[in-house]
């Protein structure tokens, strides 16, 4: 124990020397650590202590005294309240460096890999050409302000209070006009917004999806109601449709019924009010250092409820790297575990003999099959079920084989049984696509203790302004097991 202890509400000056995994600034005062959200590495800031422990404290940024050379003007006035963009005040270059370091730090500390191995295998992170306006999907909650006027916005970090804002800079620029059109209609026709506390009111959320290569726009209004006596779902429905369909590239207008009192956004039932039921988007393989689009375009149909990658430009790069790492010659049997709607599977199928996909959500597999058929790809087969159940089962009963296994699990990583089965199947190569480098590092340790070695790796930024980063690692079988 030292003489020094932080006290709540105390104001201090500190230099920010590091960045935590959640993007927070980290500074030290006499060996004690301060975590300061919204402070940028290199800033000298004045902070207020919010929560003090013996060795460290959480502090709130009060004032930037000397700005860091990495500090930039934020685009969005709400970046501190929203919490969606944790590092918007950091230059994009520095964001990429932070993400690259985070991956390496996790491989070192959690994976226990040698620094020299990590430096050797990791290729430079792939950044975005445009670090804003990259999301093809936006979901805005609808509520009312103090005067009862309808508003759209976002939930203030970790709360359910809606802060009014109809322009999120991560989304498509057209979203603003769509939101304004719906709000105007609500005001004119006195259509109520849903109130979470009472469960009353009609309009809950607005979902907008845009096909980046097709330009098609889909609007889906989530409502707390049913068909009315006149067969419509919304009062003066025709007026809203007329206004929305005038927006360029509008392709699909629908409602989704959600009458449950939960914070799940979408319901199960969708009714198209105007236009098509789905929009399409195309993605294709990219090659070379500059990631030129070279492959055949694969078309995806997207409905309001289907899963689709939110940053299609970077997804093309990410999955093209995965394909490159898989090293296919046309002779291989490949398993794509956690395959979703088969985005990676359909990339792989263009260069493999046969691809098998495994995914737990039945609707995603239905979409995957339809996407394969629509694109004339017939060397793929999909299984519904948990990877850790389907794979061992098929291995034991039928002795299934893989030259290459690709995995793209959710944040919690692969199940232990799944990893164990992969080790028993001994594919020549394993390609691991991950959205959480901590669980990735944990799983790589298991695979490398079981006879694999790291060969190549690369970060790909799918989510500029946020602390998230995707990583791809390629391993090959070397037979050196550690006990
Ligand atoms: N590559 C996919 C997305 C992968 S996201 C695509 O581009 O579409 C991770 C996927 O793993 C999700 O679709 C999720 O539903 C699925 N999943 C989660 N747990 C699983 C499990 N235990 N077994 C198989 N799939 C699982």
């Amino acid at each position: 124990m030292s003489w020094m202890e932080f006290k709540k509400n105390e104001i201090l000056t500190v230099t920010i020397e590091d960045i935590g995994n959640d993007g927070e600034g980290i500074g030290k005062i006499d060996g004690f650590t301060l975590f300061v959200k919204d402070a940028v590495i290199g800033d000298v800031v004045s902070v207020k202590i919010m929560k003090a422990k013996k060795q460290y404290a959480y502090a709130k940024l009060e004032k930037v005294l000397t700005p860091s050379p990495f500090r930039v003007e934020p685009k969005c006035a709400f970046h501190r309240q929203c919490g969606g963009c944790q590092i918007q005040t950091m230059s994009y270059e520095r964001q990429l460096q932070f993400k690259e370091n985070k991956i390496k730090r996790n491989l070192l500390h959690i994976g226990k890999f040698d620094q020299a191995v990590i430096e050797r295998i990791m290729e430079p992170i792939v950044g975005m050409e445009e670090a804003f306006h990259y999301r093809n999907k936006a979901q805005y909650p609808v509520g009312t302000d103090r005067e009862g006027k309808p508003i759209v916005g976002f939930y203030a970090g970790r709360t359910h209070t809606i802060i009014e804002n109809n322009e999120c800079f991560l989304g498509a620029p057209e979203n603003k006009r769509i939101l304004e059109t719906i709000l105007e209609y609500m005001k004119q026709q006195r259509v109520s917004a849903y109130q979470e506390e009472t469960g009353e009111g009609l309009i809950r959320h607005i979902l907008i999806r845009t096909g980046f290569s097709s330009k098609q726009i889909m609007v889906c209004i989530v409502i707390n109601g049913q068909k009315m006596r006149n067969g419509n779902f919304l009062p003066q429905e025709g007026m809203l449709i007329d206004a929305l369909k005038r927006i360029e590239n509008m392709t699909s207008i629908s409602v989704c019924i959600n009458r449950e009192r939960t914070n799940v956004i979408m319901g199960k039932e969708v009714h198209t009010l105007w236009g098509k039921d789905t929009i399409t988007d195309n993605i294709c393989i990219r090659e070379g250092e500059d990631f030129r689009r070279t492959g055949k375009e694969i078309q995806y149909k997207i409905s309001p409820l289907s899963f689709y990658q939110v940053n299609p430009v970077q997804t093309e790069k990410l999955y093209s790297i995965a394909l490159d790492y898989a090293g296919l010659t046309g002779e291989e049997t490949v398993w794509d575990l956690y395959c979703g709607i088969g985005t990676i599977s359909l990339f792989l199928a263009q260069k493999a003999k046969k691809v098998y996909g495994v995914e737990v959500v039945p609707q995603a597999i239905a979409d995957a099959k339809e996407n394969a058929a629509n694109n004339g790809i017939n060397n793929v087969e999909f299984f519904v079920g948990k990877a850790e159940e389907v794979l061992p089962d098929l291995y034991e009963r039928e002795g299934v084989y893989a030259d290459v296994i690709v995995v793209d699990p959710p944040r919690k990583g692969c199940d232990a049984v799944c990893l164990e089965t992969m080790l028993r199947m001994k594919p020549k190569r394993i390609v691991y696509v991950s959205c959480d480098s901590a669980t990735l590092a944990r799983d790589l340790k298991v695979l490398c203790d079981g006879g694999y070695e790291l060969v190549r790796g690369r970060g790909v930024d799918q989510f500029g302004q946020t602390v998230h980063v995707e990583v791809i690692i390629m391993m090959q079988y070397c037979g050196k097991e550690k006990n």
Side-chain angles (χ1 to χ4, degrees):
M1 265 288 292
S2 134
W3 56 272
M4 214 190 104
E5 249 178 65
F6 296 122
K7 285 182 199 70
K8 191 168 156 66
N9 293 330
E10 199 178 340
I11 304 276
L12 296 164
T13 297
V14 62
T15 302
I16 303 299
E17 292 163 16
D18 203 354
I19 317 168
N21 280 347
D22 296 320
E24 70 278 23
I26 300 177
K28 286 214 152 79
I29 296 181
D30 294 341
F32 288 77
T33 306
L34 281 177
F35 297 101
V36 191
K37 197 172 146 304
D38 303 313
V40 174
I41 187 165
D43 276 345
V44 180
V45 290
S46 124
V47 303
K48 186 182 196 172
I49 302 292
M50 303 306 287
K51 199 169 156 193
K53 302 269 180 185
K54 285 230 161 62
Q55 303 290 324
Y56 61 91
Y58 296 97
K60 184 164 166 264
L61 174 63
E62 290 282 303
K63 195 164 186 250
V64 179
L65 303 174
T66 315
S68 155
F70 307 116
R71 186 172 267 282
V72 293
E73 265 309 301
K75 261 197 193 227
C76 173
F78 303 104
H79 71 103
R80 282 184 74 172
Q81 286 149 287
C82 167
C85 294
Q86 304 90 349
I87 50 176
Q88 207 187 101
T89 50
M90 196 188 287
S91 71
Y92 187 59
E93 284 302 303
R94 193 64 185 80
Q95 290 184 22
L96 290 179
Q97 195 190 335
F98 154 68
K99 294 184 188 198
E100 201 155 38
N101 289 345
K102 175 164 144 177
I103 297 167
K104 290 182 178 171
R105 199 147 62 176
N106 283 333
L107 290 176
L108 184 72
H109 294 142
I110 302 174
K112 312 281 177 210
F113 293 100
D114 284 345
Q115 182 91 49
V117 171
I118 297 168
E119 292 301 333
R120 191 184 70 229
I121 69 144
M122 289 307 290
E123 297 165 56
I125 188 166
V126 182
M128 314 197 326
E129 286 129 53
E130 158 68 298
F132 286 97
H133 299 301
Y134 57 80
R135 285 184 65 97
N136 60 10
K137 173 179 167 183
Q139 300 179 109
Y140 283 87
V142 183
T144 41
D145 66 6
R146 285 211 186 88
E147 283 87 53
K149 182 174 71 97
I151 55 167
V152 296
F154 57 87
Y155 295 122
R158 297 203 188 90
T159 73
H160 270 250
T161 312
I162 298 175
I163 296 189
E164 184 175 5
N165 175 25
N166 57 14
E167 187 169 27
C168 169
F169 293 99
L170 300 192
E174 303 79 39
N175 293 355
K176 187 170 183 227
R177 176 147 174 233
I178 297 168
L179 296 170
E180 283 167 357
T181 304
I182 298 173
L183 286 176
E184 192 49 42
Y185 151 81
M186 287 178 72
K187 274 182 232 160
Q188 272 182 15
Q189 301 302 328
R190 300 184 179 280
V191 179
S192 58
Y194 180 67
Q195 306 292 333
E196 251 185 351
E197 313 80 60
T198 61
E200 284 165 12
L202 187 62
I203 299 196
R204 295 177 73 134
H205 269 87
I206 298 165
L207 164 75
I208 308 172
R209 302 184 94 162
T210 314
F212 272 29
S213 56
S214 70
K215 306 279 178 247
Q216 297 177 345
I217 300 174
M218 161 180 280
V219 177
C220 179
I221 301 167
V222 185
I223 59 168
N224 172 39
Q226 282 173 319
K227 214 178 232 183
M228 302 186 296
R229 242 181 262 138
N230 64 3
N232 287 351
F233 290 92
L234 299 167
Q236 296 296 329
E237 197 173 278
M239 292 185 76
L240 176 63
I241 293 170
D242 276 346
L244 282 175
K245 77 181 187 202
R246 260 185 253 134
I247 294 171
E248 199 184 353
N249 297 319
M250 186 58 65
T251 307
S252 168
I253 304 172
S254 60
V255 290
C256 175
I257 295 176
N258 182 0
R259 306 184 72 198
E260 304 284 317
R261 290 193 67 178
T262 68
N263 51 20
V264 176
I265 296 176
M266 303 299 286
K268 293 195 173 69
E269 212 181 309
V270 176
H271 300 270
T272 304
L273 304 182
W274 178 87
K276 301 198 172 126
D277 297 338
T278 55
I279 57 169
T280 59
D281 199 21
N282 304 316
I283 64 175
C284 78
I285 298 171
R286 291 177 179 240
E287 277 169 335
E289 266 308 295
D290 55 349
F291 292 102
R292 261 166 303 113
R293 290 185 104 206
T294 56
K296 143 178 155 182
E297 290 205 318
I298 299 185
Q299 193 180 72
Y300 289 86
K301 276 194 182 160
I302 307 159
S303 78
L305 298 181
S306 54
F307 173 84
Y308 188 65
Q309 294 286 344
V310 299
N311 181 340
V313 176
Q314 291 302 98
T315 296
E316 284 187 342
K317 297 180 189 170
L318 180 74
Y319 291 172
S320 296
I321 295 170
L323 180 64
D324 180 30
Y325 281 9
L328 304 178
T329 63
E331 294 303 314
E332 294 80 4
T333 300
V334 186
W335 282 77
D336 179 17
L337 309 179
Y338 310 88
C339 71
I341 58 165
T343 320
I344 302 182
S345 318
L346 299 190
F347 266 35
L348 295 163
Q350 297 176 63
K351 307 229 163 157
K353 187 164 89 189
K354 178 87 193 203
V355 178
Y356 297 97
V358 183
E359 158 66 43
V360 74
V361 175
Q363 186 55 47
I365 288 293
D367 287 348
K369 286 182 177 164
E370 199 189 325
N371 289 328
N374 288 344
N375 289 287
I377 297 174
N378 44 34
N379 57 338
V380 289
E381 205 173 308
F382 294 102
F383 298 93
V384 179
K386 290 185 175 165
E388 62 273 25
E389 290 171 6
V390 172
L391 197 63
D393 185 47
L394 288 172
Y395 181 66
E396 250 136 60
R397 282 193 298 125
E398 298 176 23
V400 291
Y401 167 85
D403 292 295
V404 180
I405 297 182
V406 178
V407 297
D408 184 11
R411 279 195 203 156
K412 68 172 194 270
C414 292
D415 185 274
V417 176
C418 177
L419 294 174
E420 201 181 285
T421 312
M422 285 160 67
L423 288 175
R424 280 159 65 200
M425 287 173 74
K426 287 201 181 57
K428 288 186 209 77
R429 286 183 290 285
I430 297 175
V431 178
Y432 196 132
V433 183
S434 161
C435 54
D436 183 329
S437 55
T439 58
L440 166 77
R442 177 201 69 197
D443 291 350
L444 293 184
K445 182 168 190 315
V446 175
L447 294 170
C448 290
D449 286 350
Y452 283 81
E453 65 184 358
L454 306 186
V455 184
R456 294 178 77 177
R458 195 158 194 185
V460 177
D461 187 21
Q462 294 249 62
F463 306 106
Q465 322 306 331
T466 81
V467 294
H468 303 291
V469 61
E470 301 266 329
V471 200
I472 317 173
I473 297 282
M474 192 266 276
M475 286 152 277
Q476 70 186 14
Y477 185 70
C478 66
K480 281 181 249 154
E481 280 180 43
K482 287 185 205 141
N483 294 315

